[in-house]
Amino acid sequence: MLVAGCLMRLVGAFSRINFVSGFSLIPVVLGVVLYVWGRRVCARLLFSILFMVAMVPAPVTFINRVSFRMKMIASRGAVGLLDMFNAGLVLSGSTVEFWRDGKDSLVVGDVCSGLRSLIALLAFGALFAYISEVSLWKKLVLFLVTIPTALVANLVRIVFI
């Protein structure tokens, strides 16, 4: 594990792929713990070590793809929700157009996609599920419920804006 992590770091550094370089820390730490303290300690620390995945920046292509989809879901959802109240909104791409003393618009940018909130809630959901003293399937539900929670929270935020 230690050697594989070091090789990942070298490959990531020479190819300038930050995700691989950052992700390499996890097998390095896992390898050090396994080498120094053995399998029993490594098994007890496995969640803590794997939890470090939350700190590794995702690849830019992944961020762009997911961020765009989340932005469009939030834009469509907010306009759909507000249209139930006859708000008179028009969605053009990710721009919400409305009339208030003339034509005005709100651009839902990539930063409004809710991706950062989703990542933070997934990390919190993983930690909360891990420390909860419930069955495995309830832990999985606790973890997975963070995804719709982040999406709905972002939609509500855009509605209020």
Side-chain angles (χ1 to χ4, degrees), residues 3 18 26 31 54 66 78 84 104 134 141 145 148 153 158:
V3 171
N18 293 335
I26 295 164
V66 172
M84 291 190 322
D104 209 349
V134 294
V141 169
V145 80
I158 292 173

Side-chain angles (χ1 to χ4, degrees), residues 8-26 53 55-61 63:
M8 280 177 65
R9 170 69 175 118
L10 288 173
V11 167
F14 285 122
S15 62
R16 296 184 181 178
I17 302 174
N18 293 335
F19 173 73
V20 173
S21 194
F23 193 76
S24 69
L25 179 65
I26 295 164
V53 168
M55 74 172 199
V56 177
V60 175
T61 55
I63 290 172

Side-chain angles (χ1 to χ4, degrees), residues 33-91:
V33 170
L34 192 59
Y35 179 74
V36 174
W37 291 289
R39 289 184 179 178
R40 196 169 62 216
V41 172
C42 187
R44 295 201 71 192
L45 294 176
L46 188 60
F47 176 81
S48 301
I49 295 168
L50 293 179
F51 190 71
M52 290 190 306
V53 168
M55 74 172 199
V56 177
V60 175
T61 55
F62 172 80
I63 290 172
N64 291 339
R65 195 173 320 132
V66 172
S67 182
F68 177 76
R69 288 187 180 138
M70 289 180 65
K71 172 178 69 171
M72 295 310 294
I73 289 170
S75 300
R76 287 186 197 120
V79 168
L81 185 64
L82 289 171
D83 274 347
M84 291 190 322
F85 299 104
N86 295 324
L89 302 173
V90 176
L91 183 63

